[in-house]
Amino acid sequence: MSVLLRPGAEAIASKGWWRANQWLLLRRAVQLGILSLFLLGPWLGIWIIKGNIASSLTLDVLPLSDPYLLTQSLFAGHWPETTVVIGAVIISVFYFLVGGRVYCGWICPVNMITDLAAWLRQRFNIKGGARFPRQSRYWILVMTLIGATISGSLLWELVNPVTLVYRGLIFGMGMVWLLLLALFLFDLLLSPRGWCTHLCPMGAFYSLLARYTPLRISAAGRERCNDCMDCYAVCPEPQVIPPALKGAEQGIGPVILGINCTNCARCIDVCSKDVFKFSSRFSNPTQSSSNTFKQSEVLS
Amino acid sequence: MGKSNNKVDQYRRRFLIRAAGQACGAALLGVGLITFSRQAHTLPATAIRPPGALAEQDFLGACVRCGLCVRDCPYDTLKLAELGETVTTGTPYFTARDIPCEMCEDIPCVVACPTGALDKGLTNIDDARMGLAALVDQENCLNYLGLRCDVCYRVCPLINKAISLEPQHNLRTGKHTFFIPVVHSDACTGCGMCERACVLPEAAIKILPQRLAKGAPGQHYRLGWEEKQKAGGSLVTPDTEHKYNLPEGYQYDYEGRGLIKEDKNTQTPFADNPLDTLNKRQEQKQ
């Protein structure tokens, strides 16, 4: 029956609209909130944060820098100043703690566009399209770093939609709108969830920070699962779910350990049986270390 | 090959082909990007990097396009290139004709740079070399026409060091002086004040990248007069003093004073009456 309904409809019926969307709303609030902090300066003259997500200075003391951009710079052959290194270390430690791809789900502005495309695909039942292997992003990541060395520059920053959009909103869009439109149409019509979860090397880079991340989502109530498939329908990286949700018989613990889980918590929202909750990677009672390896390795 | 191995082999084969396909796809994308970058990285001559910027190729590998230098520029000189502009996307630059660099003493843009793309070693703004002013249009420059415009010279923050006015005789009128603005590359920072101030509708003096504005002497070239001074004497021997064929008691200063009578009391060899001179010669012969 639930197949006919939109994903999350059951959850709305059982938990109410607010509780069935609370994490999504919180996530959008964080995405837009951080963007607003950046925009307060140029728009209203309130300088809490200067710069953009590539590198910024908060309250004139706290430097934050993107570790992927720093890595590109290192590969391009530049020996950086300490400021950018400190900033990148702070950011790396943060994403190590909360999950690398939290960057994708909770910060990255492109996520809102590709989520919209994915939602529209479901809403208007758009099927098919090109499917790239999910590992492609790692090859592209390698390419951007080798390319940085060959060209001696931050090669990917010529086209990186994430930094282009952020910088564009703060410093002037130029033709970034066109790029966004292309990306939206790409995800909507050409390749389902094509960009963020198959091709984007920035997401791939951040996923590598999540190898031992403590904060994880757990299918703690997996025995209550009624196979409605709503979590799969909303998950941008649905390959991370099955081992945790269905692995009880193989002795795999309920914690989702796939490094590409963005901790977006949409699965918590849409589950009418309250199967999922935020947890830690250490709360896997039945799990042995070999399983940890298996799950995160195979399903990255 | 046993039948039991067949399945494993096929799996391995498929895996390898898939991986190779992805790698090739990424590599193709990379080749395209690098080709594109060759064009995207050509900096237009009118786009000037902030003070302390590393050489362009190093700069593109160091700058993370964060815009902190732009934020700390008190005069809104700097901006980040937007996507679609001819300057590499996201990198800071300024256009001298619009807003030149005011050469702040504390160089806030360099201080703000987190990566060192703007070199922290630059502590004295006079040492900045953002570009080099070049008086490119000698046909329309008012000073070259014999007028006293002098605006580029007057606005230069390093007046008389980076730009000086060199007097030259105006052959057209025969009685006036040209005051030719001359840029000195050992002092010019490329701030762009002169270009913005030029009164012509299109500036006659422009900030250009060093590579465009400056020639280079051959490495083996030596300027004789400088070498001579360094050595304390001529390097070409023998350096015999030039002798002018002059009347007795006279010198010739070729650097400007011309014919000099050595002693004012000495009689001139040329008397007022030419006959006297002839008679004197006659007397000497006898």
Side-chain angles (χ1 to χ4, degrees):
Chain A
M1 197 182 82
S2 63
V3 179
L4 300 172
L5 293 169
R6 276 195 270 155
E10 261 181 81
I12 292 172
S14 65
K15 301 195 287 190
W17 191 87
W18 277 105
R19 271 201 61 216
N21 286 292
Q22 57 182 350
W23 287 106
L24 177 66
L25 293 171
L26 181 63
R27 204 154 61 82
R28 294 289 177 250
V30 171
Q31 274 168 331
L32 295 170
I34 290 187
L35 182 60
S36 313
L37 282 179
F38 276 103
L39 289 171
L40 275 182
W43 286 8
L44 302 175
I46 305 167
W47 294 103
I48 296 168
I49 306 182
K50 285 192 286 193
N52 63 48
I53 39 166
S55 192
S56 64
L57 192 62
T58 304
L59 297 171
D60 283 327
V61 285
L62 178 69
L64 297 173
S65 302
D66 190 287
Y68 175 50
L69 266 69
L70 177 61
T71 309
Q72 285 183 65
S73 183
L74 287 170
F75 272 82
H78 174 68
W79 190 251
E81 287 280 331
T82 34
T83 315
V84 74
V85 178
I86 293 169
V89 167
I90 295 172
I91 289 291
S92 302
V93 168
F94 174 76
Y95 283 110
F96 162 77
L97 292 174
V98 300
R101 293 208 58 206
V102 161
Y103 180 83
C104 304
W106 292 75
I107 307 292
C108 178
V110 175
N111 168 266
M112 289 187 265
I113 292 143
T114 56
D115 270 3
L116 175 67
W119 183 79
L120 287 171
R121 266 186 95 88
Q122 254 162 14
R123 191 78 178 79
F124 296 104
N125 203 24
I126 302 169
K127 297 274 184 219
R131 280 182 191 274
F132 297 93
R134 286 185 191 273
Q135 285 77 21
S136 304
R137 53 186 151 193
Y138 294 103
W139 289 105
I140 293 175
L141 174 61
V142 169
M143 176 278 285
T144 63
L145 297 181
I146 295 175
T149 305
I150 294 175
S151 69
S153 69
L154 276 67
L155 187 67
W156 189 247
E157 296 313 299
L158 287 175
V159 292
N160 187 352
V162 183
T163 50
L164 279 173
V165 171
Y166 230 91
R167 194 188 310 115
L169 288 167
I170 298 166
F171 287 92
M173 282 300 256
M175 282 163 61
V176 175
W177 293 118
L178 273 181
L179 184 81
L180 279 186
L181 181 68
L183 208 60
F184 172 73
L185 294 176
F186 175 77
D187 261 30
L188 181 70
L189 303 172
L190 199 65
S191 180
R193 286 207 178 270
W195 183 256
C196 294
T197 67
H198 295 78
L199 300 176
C200 177
M202 204 158 187
F205 181 89
Y206 274 93
S207 78
L208 300 177
L209 293 174
R211 196 72 174 76
Y212 303 102
T213 288
L215 181 70
R216 299 274 62 169
I217 284 173
S218 168
R222 57 186 173 183
E223 68 283 350
R224 291 194 294 273
C225 173
N226 64 354
D227 294 333
C228 74
M229 303 297 280
D230 279 2
C231 55
Y232 290 98
V234 296
C235 182
E237 303 275 357
Q239 80 282 7
V240 303
I241 298 177
L245 188 62
K246 298 291 162 194
E249 279 157 32
Q250 291 103 303
I252 301 173
V255 177
I256 293 173
L257 294 174
I259 58 172
N260 272 304
C261 171
T262 65
N263 277 0
C264 74
R266 188 72 183 130
C267 53
I268 304 181
D269 276 348
V270 299
C271 182
S272 61
K273 303 292 173 196
D274 281 332
V275 168
F276 299 97
K277 62 165 191 171
F278 268 110
S279 174
S280 95
R281 77 183 302 119
F282 310 111
S283 59
N284 243 354
T286 55
Q287 168 207 317
S288 66
S289 59
S290 65
N291 281 331
T292 318
F293 180 74
K294 198 168 139 200
Q295 193 180 335
S296 49
E297 189 75 347
V298 174
L299 299 164
S300 61
Chain B
M1 194 181 298
K3 257 207 166 163
S4 55
N5 282 340
N6 225 357
K7 219 174 171 183
V8 178
D9 279 344
Q10 273 195 351
Y11 175 78
R12 188 176 293 159
R13 186 184 147 86
R14 221 171 45 211
F15 173 81
L16 286 174
I17 287 175
R18 265 170 67 100
Q22 290 163 31
C24 288
L28 265 179
L29 183 64
V31 169
L33 259 181
I34 288 171
T35 313
F36 168 60
S37 78
R38 293 273 188 264
Q39 288 179 21
H41 289 165
T42 45
L43 188 69
T46 49
I48 302 166
R49 294 294 184 201
L54 303 177
E56 184 63 10
Q57 185 55 56
D58 298 332
F59 183 79
L60 292 173
C63 172
V64 293
R65 290 88 160 131
C66 68
L68 284 169
C69 53
V70 174
R71 288 297 177 232
D72 281 7
C73 175
Y75 298 97
D76 289 336
T77 301
L78 296 175
K79 47 191 172 177
L80 289 190
E82 294 175 10
L83 188 65
E85 278 185 53
T86 46
V87 180
T88 305
T89 305
T91 55
Y93 75 101
F94 68 96
T95 309
R97 189 65 166 162
D98 299 339
I99 311 179
C101 172
E102 296 276 350
M103 288 175 60
C104 312
E105 277 184 17
D106 50 348
I107 331 180
C109 49
V110 172
V111 176
C113 179
T115 65
L118 306 183
D119 190 354
K120 290 272 193 289
L122 180 73
T123 48
N124 178 2
I125 189 64
D126 291 350
D127 295 338
R129 291 293 178 268
M130 295 170 264
L132 182 59
L135 210 161
V136 286
D137 189 353
Q138 305 186 352
E139 291 173 327
N140 289 307
C141 169
L142 296 180
N143 273 39
Y144 263 90
L145 295 175
L147 284 78
R148 291 301 301 275
C149 164
D150 298 0
V151 166
C152 55
Y153 167 75
R154 296 282 165 206
V155 298
C156 178
L158 296 170
I159 186 168
N160 280 329
K161 288 186 204 131
I163 303 184
S164 60
L165 294 178
E166 303 296 331
Q168 271 180 26
H169 184 49
N170 184 341
L171 284 173
R172 178 170 52 80
T173 65
K175 54 187 171 186
H176 295 106
T177 306
F178 290 121
F179 287 85
I180 302 299
V182 176
V183 178
H184 303 279
S185 64
D186 57 345
C188 175
T189 62
C191 71
M193 285 292 184
C194 52
E195 181 177 343
R196 199 221 356 213
C198 181
V199 299
L200 299 183
E202 175 73 43
I205 190 164
K206 289 187 165 79
I207 305 298
L208 297 175
Q210 299 264 354
R211 73 191 150 83
L212 295 184
K214 219 168 144 44
Q219 287 203 328
H220 61 290
Y221 291 5
R222 299 287 179 272
L223 303 177
W225 52 96
E226 282 182 3
E227 297 301 318
K228 185 175 166 183
Q229 212 165 28
K230 264 191 253 168
S234 176
L235 301 167
V236 189
T237 48
D239 188 23
T240 47
E241 205 183 325
H242 182 81
K243 284 199 172 115
Y244 294 95
N245 193 9
L246 293 169
E248 220 172 288
Y250 273 80
Q251 269 186 4
Y252 187 77
D253 176 17
Y254 63 90
E255 279 178 333
R257 284 191 295 155
L259 199 63
I260 303 161
K261 208 198 301 182
E262 268 180 341
D263 185 6
K264 279 176 186 166
N265 298 324
T266 327
Q267 251 195 335
T268 353
F270 312 106
D272 289 342
N273 184 354
L275 281 176
D276 289 351
T277 314
L278 284 172
N279 291 335
K280 201 178 169 191
R281 289 262 170 94
Q282 287 294 327
E283 282 166 27
Q284 280 172 350
K285 275 182 188 170
Q286 285 166 8

